[in-house]
Amino acid sequence: MTKRPRGFIVVTGSELVRGDRRDLNGPFLAGEMLRHGIEPARISIVGDGEEELSEALAEGLEGADLCVVSGGLGPTHDDRTVELVARAAGVGLRLDEELHEQIGAVSRAFAERLGRPYADFEPGVRKQATIPEGAHSLGLAGTAPGLVLEHCDTVVVVLPGPPAELQRLWRSTLESEPVRELLARTKPPDLRQLRFFGVSESTVAKALADAGGDGDGVEATICARDFEIHVDLVVEPGKGARADELSQRLVAPLERQLFSRDERPIEELVLDLCRERGLTLGTAESCTGGMVAERITSVPGSSDVFVGAIVAYADEVKARELGVPPEVLERHGAVSAEAAAAMAAGARERLGADIAVAVTGIAGPGGGSDEKPVGLVYLHAVGHDGSRSRDFVFPGDRASIRRRATVTALHLLRRLLEQTRDESA
Amino acid sequence: MTKRPRGFIVVTGSELVRGDRRDLNGPFLAGEMLRHGIEPARISIVGDGEEELSEALAEGLEGADLCVVSGGLGPTHDDRTVELVARAAGVGLRLDEELHEQIGAVSRAFAERLGRPYADFEPGVRKQATIPEGAHSLGLAGTAPGLVLEHCDTVVVVLPGPPAELQRLWRSTLESEPVRELLARTKPPDLRQLRFFGVSESTVAKALADAGGDGDGVEATICARDFEIHVDLVVEPGKGARADELSQRLVAPLERQLFSRDERPIEELVLDLCRERGLTLGTAESCTGGMVAERITSVPGSSDVFVGAIVAYADEVKARELGVPPEVLERHGAVSAEAAAAMAAGARERLGADIAVAVTGIAGPGGGSDEKPVGLVYLHAVGHDGSRSRDFVFPGDRASIRRRATVTALHLLRRLLEQTRDESA
């Protein structure tokens, strides 16, 4: 089997190497490389200093078939990427007249809007229009040009730091000749997903091992993500049948916990299930504080299904806005199966929703007791045809408990929707 | 000025180098290094393969004073970190009897719970108890021991991959002798924050330049984060006066937009302002879908201020649950200053809150028109003593518009609270 081309990613930015900001470019570029049949071998995050960046570039130019560098393309002297890429590739720099005009035009308009003389900007314009010999522009993002350059066996791509700008120029990158030639050498793998909920990562790992394990053109990675277990298969060309067989054997003991074979997040699945059945949806939340509603509404087009939410943080609000009877709050407390059921029914009624899910619990770190510890969460989902309820004591800190309760609420909705669909089938 | 010790971070994990999951360990360790006076020079993310990890370790052991490696400490053959660290340091491996017992005890309990024979686990236990000669255990996370090892001029620390486990063992790491000796060599810098809202990054950059710029023991980084502008100062020992002066000159033209001199996020600031004045808080949300409430409730202890939220996604819910008059919705529409004002007043009343903020807008990508484009957002905050309203057309995609609207709503609350505090002072 031909080995896939290797990709190196170099991300520059002092706020990144210092941990002030999380890097988004590395994961984006790595995922894109993988999708196109290139194996991402390393992501190096360095600051703005010359030494570190030079070292990372030298490694990339030596060890990779595709080396993508992001950041440091601005007009100031701190922006060294272009100069150091040229040095690493052993070529000089030249002023590209066409770029000089393009960037100049953008800067002139900017200077006018700010009421400042263009002369202030000219040195920066010259700098950004100065590119390594042999390099070609991929287009402008603001005033910085993306660049592509071939050096020995490596295709070097230079892109701006801001993620939105990088992602926009990435399309031009894929269409550039050097990158197209590289991609033509490799057939992209087939990527498949299996998504499980309600089972541990080690159980899925054991099931994979029992199914024969990966290898022989089918790579399987198991990842616990967002309290679900994600299995991703990377299937080399011609190994589809092997992948089918492995999937079948892996899924067989875990059928109940398999909830998806694609990349749609759970909130999108729930919305699709509701939409298929012409149902509207709402939530009643306490400890999750609106997180369930926020996830549902993060999906474009959710407004044709989702009608609203009532976040009842204080008990008075549970009583007044959700109609939870005071006796329930007194006898069982706000964190109870009875309160969850009353909240869910109240949400359906007040919001005019066909289906609703309620979550009430103790997110911590305070608020726990011996009978009702931190992490105790009651969930209740109800629709026309039935209901489902669960309760847990989730481990972890406040953020983790809230996130887990949110994901569990969404899966409870899914189970309710699938249950009523199965029953009416 | 003595140069600070250099830190290298090596993070292993195939799902990380492939972009399936975003790395949290790199930023955490980098931030911790910086706080303790070590300069984070590089973060390398590699997969599980031997070649890449060996190369990254070789660079760390050569170029850094402190090299922290995370991941690959599990019991399976894919977990190579300990073996490769030993190889890079040129030392052998030995079975640590005390660790063998500790890890064995944990595994036995686990095996019993799962109803599986301990013999299944013993090879993994032996492996995890096998550590480089000269290394010391930092404690267990599950069955994997964190390790510290000295090699020539480098202190090497090996920690588990899962972020919660890594952060827990990091405390033991700081207390270990080799790391304490390293930290003793350097006085940690003083870290200061200036936080601005309602001004562009380039304006702050210009103000910094006009104030004389950084350098001479005071480093300033400007970062646009979450639609705020964060200025972080790293002040070398003895340079406090210079930092004071630079701060003063930087802040002078930007006093109105400066909102904080510490690291508390805006939601925490708003809660503190409410708590100081004995006020309760609620939200009425449409396009943000619960994101404002979710951010507020992410802060522990928010329940003594925050009473709840009404997410009115459908117009009927705006009318029924927030009391927005049908004439307002008919004449001005759900996305209008009038609707926002009615929603805010309705939230105060229905939730029994002293202060409320309402957000209504068009998050996109659909739903826009010529008069009301995607990104149009109306915000209204109201309390006993007054109100504030703003409207914007935010650029960007759905997620960006929702996040920006959320941050803007929180700052609107802050301005209202500061305004009424100033007026009653």
Side-chain angles (χ1 to χ4, degrees):
Chain A
M1 181 186 85
T2 329
K3 232 183 149 228
R4 278 193 244 127
R6 254 156 69 114
F8 267 44
I9 298 161
V10 179
V11 176
T12 79
S14 63
E15 74 279 9
L16 297 174
V17 77
R18 290 177 151 181
D20 291 336
R21 201 208 285 267
R22 271 191 265 163
D23 172 47
L24 301 178
N25 292 336
F28 170 78
L29 290 167
E32 283 289 306
M33 284 185 179
L34 193 67
R35 284 205 311 115
H36 288 92
I38 294 174
E39 181 70 46
R42 190 187 317 194
I43 302 171
S44 284
I45 303 176
V46 296
D48 305 319
E50 208 178 285
E51 192 186 337
E52 287 304 326
L53 181 48
S54 297
E55 278 182 36
L57 289 174
E59 285 149 28
L61 264 61
E62 191 194 339
D65 298 286
L66 175 66
C67 177
V68 184
V69 190
S70 87
L73 297 190
T76 73
H77 70 283
D78 285 334
D79 298 292
R80 294 198 174 91
T81 301
V82 172
E83 174 199 335
L84 293 176
V85 164
R87 202 185 294 177
V91 300
L93 294 163
R94 62 171 189 90
L95 178 69
D96 183 299
E97 282 307 333
E98 198 180 328
L99 267 181
H100 195 198
E101 266 188 59
Q102 287 176 350
I103 300 173
V106 176
S107 284
R108 252 174 249 278
F110 192 56
E112 238 180 83
R113 253 187 18 242
L114 289 185
R116 283 168 59 190
Y118 176 69
D120 282 0
F121 294 83
E122 168 61 13
V125 170
R126 273 191 87 81
K127 181 176 188 295
Q128 291 186 297
T130 301
I131 65 180
E133 280 161 7
H136 297 277
S137 167
L138 294 166
L140 290 189
T143 51
L147 302 168
V148 62
L149 165 69
E150 287 173 275
H151 169 72
C152 301
D153 297 325
T154 308
V155 175
V156 184
V157 172
V158 180
L159 296 173
E165 297 183 3
L166 180 140
Q167 294 181 26
R168 201 163 13 99
L169 284 180
W170 179 249
R171 316 196 191 303
S172 319
T173 306
L174 292 173
E175 288 159 19
S176 72
E177 219 182 285
V179 175
R180 286 212 304 192
E181 275 173 27
L182 176 65
L183 295 184
R185 284 163 34 194
T186 172
K187 241 192 119 195
D190 180 32
L191 302 177
R192 303 188 188 186
Q193 299 87 29
L194 296 168
R195 302 281 181 258
F196 301 91
F197 181 74
V199 64
S200 73
E201 187 175 357
S202 58
T203 302
V204 176
K206 187 172 187 306
L208 176 63
D210 292 345
D214 65 353
D216 188 27
V218 178
E219 263 180 79
T221 49
I222 304 175
C223 200
R225 193 175 300 134
D226 206 26
F227 308 103
E228 298 166 346
I229 306 299
H230 291 196
V231 177
D232 288 304
L233 301 182
V234 181
V235 186
E236 293 301 323
K239 296 291 180 176
R242 156 123 175 83
D244 290 338
E245 206 196 325
L246 179 63
S247 293
Q248 263 162 33
R249 277 188 283 170
L250 169 60
V251 169
L254 301 171
E255 286 246 34
R256 280 195 66 247
Q257 293 92 354
L258 176 75
F259 72 88
S260 173
R261 288 179 189 266
D262 61 53
E263 285 179 295
R264 280 178 299 164
I266 180 61
E267 53 269 25
E268 202 178 321
L269 282 171
V270 167
L271 285 166
D272 288 346
L273 285 167
C274 285
R275 200 176 286 112
E276 274 169 38
R277 308 203 62 206
L279 299 173
T280 56
L281 172 67
T283 74
E285 305 185 46
S286 188
C287 59
T288 43
M291 199 185 279
V292 186
E294 189 271 311
R295 274 190 74 158
I296 292 172
T297 56
S298 71
V299 183
S302 49
S303 59
D304 57 354
V305 169
F306 186 73
V307 292
I310 294 182
V311 179
Y313 223 57
D315 283 2
E316 298 74 45
V317 180
K318 289 181 179 76
R320 202 166 50 228
E321 293 307 300
L322 285 170
V324 177
E327 314 86 69
V328 169
L329 293 173
E330 272 167 45
R331 197 185 317 165
H332 305 285
V335 178
S336 61
E338 294 80 359
M343 285 168 69
R348 276 189 80 214
E349 194 206 306
R350 301 293 180 104
L351 298 169
D354 294 310
I355 284 207
V357 67
V359 190
T360 177
I362 304 169
S369 65
D370 288 332
E371 313 93 54
K372 299 198 181 187
V374 165
L376 176 63
V377 179
Y378 289 89
L379 305 103
H380 192 100
V382 62
H384 295 301
D385 302 328
S387 68
R388 282 184 95 87
S389 51
R390 293 294 309 268
D391 57 273
F392 300 87
V393 178
F394 291 132
D397 63 10
R398 182 185 182 84
S400 172
I401 289 166
R402 279 159 45 101
R403 277 198 338 265
R404 198 161 187 169
T406 296
V407 172
T408 306
L410 291 166
H411 280 279
L412 193 67
L413 279 169
R414 173 184 61 81
R415 298 300 301 274
L416 178 68
L417 287 156
E418 288 173 348
Q419 160 192 310
T420 48
R421 176 177 62 184
D422 293 340
E423 285 165 10
S424 54
Chain B
M1 180 186 89
T2 330
K3 233 185 147 225
R4 277 193 245 126
R6 254 157 69 114
F8 268 44
I9 297 160
V10 179
V11 176
T12 80
S14 63
E15 73 279 10
L16 296 174
V17 78
R18 288 177 153 181
D20 292 335
R21 202 209 286 265
R22 271 193 264 162
D23 172 48
L24 300 178
N25 292 337
F28 170 77
L29 291 166
E32 283 289 304
M33 284 185 178
L34 194 66
R35 281 202 315 114
H36 288 92
I38 295 173
E39 182 70 47
R42 193 191 311 197
I43 302 172
S44 284
I45 304 176
V46 295
D48 305 320
E50 207 176 284
E51 192 184 338
E52 287 305 325
L53 181 48
S54 297
E55 278 180 36
L57 289 174
E59 284 149 30
L61 263 61
E62 189 191 341
D65 298 288
L66 174 64
C67 178
V68 184
V69 191
S70 86
L73 297 190
T76 74
H77 70 281
D78 284 335
D79 299 291
R80 293 198 176 90
T81 301
V82 171
E83 174 198 336
L84 294 176
V85 164
R87 201 185 295 178
V91 300
L93 294 162
R94 61 172 191 91
L95 178 69
D96 183 299
E97 281 308 333
E98 197 182 329
L99 267 182
H100 194 197
E101 266 189 60
Q102 288 177 349
I103 300 173
V106 176
S107 284
R108 254 176 249 278
F110 191 57
E112 237 181 85
R113 250 182 28 235
L114 289 187
R116 283 167 59 189
Y118 176 68
D120 281 1
F121 294 82
E122 168 62 11
V125 170
R126 271 191 90 79
K127 183 176 188 295
Q128 292 186 296
T130 301
I131 65 180
E133 279 161 5
H136 298 278
S137 167
L138 293 165
L140 291 189
T143 50
L147 302 168
V148 62
L149 163 70
E150 286 173 276
H151 169 72
C152 302
D153 297 325
T154 308
V155 175
V156 185
V157 173
V158 181
L159 296 173
E165 296 181 3
L166 180 139
Q167 294 181 28
R168 199 160 17 96
L169 284 179
W170 179 248
R171 313 194 192 305
S172 319
T173 307
L174 292 173
E175 288 158 19
S176 72
E177 218 181 285
V179 175
R180 285 215 304 196
E181 275 173 28
L182 175 66
L183 295 184
R185 283 164 34 194
T186 172
K187 242 193 119 193
D190 179 31
L191 302 177
R192 304 187 188 185
Q193 299 86 29
L194 296 168
R195 302 280 181 259
F196 301 91
F197 181 75
V199 65
S200 74
E201 187 175 358
S202 58
T203 302
V204 176
K206 185 171 190 304
L208 175 65
D210 292 346
D214 63 355
D216 187 27
V218 178
E219 264 180 79
T221 49
I222 303 175
C223 199
R225 195 175 300 134
D226 206 26
F227 308 104
E228 298 167 345
I229 306 299
H230 291 195
V231 177
D232 289 303
L233 300 182
V234 180
V235 186
E236 294 300 327
K239 297 290 179 174
R242 157 125 174 80
D244 291 338
E245 210 197 321
L246 180 63
S247 293
Q248 262 161 33
R249 278 188 283 172
L250 169 60
V251 169
L254 301 171
E255 286 246 36
R256 279 194 68 245
Q257 292 91 355
L258 175 76
F259 71 89
S260 172
R261 290 180 187 265
D262 61 51
E263 285 179 295
R264 281 178 299 165
I266 179 62
E267 55 267 26
E268 200 177 324
L269 282 171
V270 167
L271 285 166
D272 288 346
L273 284 167
C274 285
R275 199 176 287 111
E276 274 169 38
R277 308 201 64 203
L279 298 174
T280 56
L281 172 66
T283 75
E285 304 184 48
S286 188
C287 60
T288 43
M291 199 184 277
V292 186
E294 189 272 313
R295 273 190 76 157
I296 292 171
T297 56
S298 70
V299 183
S302 49
S303 60
D304 57 354
V305 169
F306 186 73
V307 291
I310 295 183
V311 179
Y313 224 57
D315 284 1
E316 298 76 45
V317 179
K318 289 183 180 75
R320 201 167 49 230
E321 293 307 299
L322 285 170
V324 177
E327 316 84 71
V328 170
L329 292 172
E330 274 167 43
R331 197 184 320 164
H332 305 286
V335 178
S336 62
E338 293 82 358
M343 286 168 68
R348 275 190 80 212
E349 196 205 307
R350 301 294 181 103
L351 299 169
D354 295 311
I355 283 208
V357 67
V359 191
T360 177
I362 303 170
S369 65
D370 288 334
E371 312 92 57
K372 298 198 180 185
V374 165
L376 175 62
V377 178
Y378 289 90
L379 306 104
H380 191 100
V382 62
H384 295 301
D385 302 331
S387 68
R388 281 183 95 90
S389 52
R390 294 293 310 266
D391 57 275
F392 300 87
V393 178
F394 291 133
D397 63 10
R398 184 185 181 83
S400 173
I401 289 167
R402 281 160 44 100
R403 276 197 341 262
R404 199 162 187 168
T406 296
V407 172
T408 306
L410 291 166
H411 280 278
L412 194 67
L413 278 169
R414 171 184 62 81
R415 297 300 300 273
L416 178 68
L417 286 156
E418 289 173 347
Q419 160 190 308
T420 48
R421 177 178 61 184
D422 293 341
E423 285 165 11
S424 56

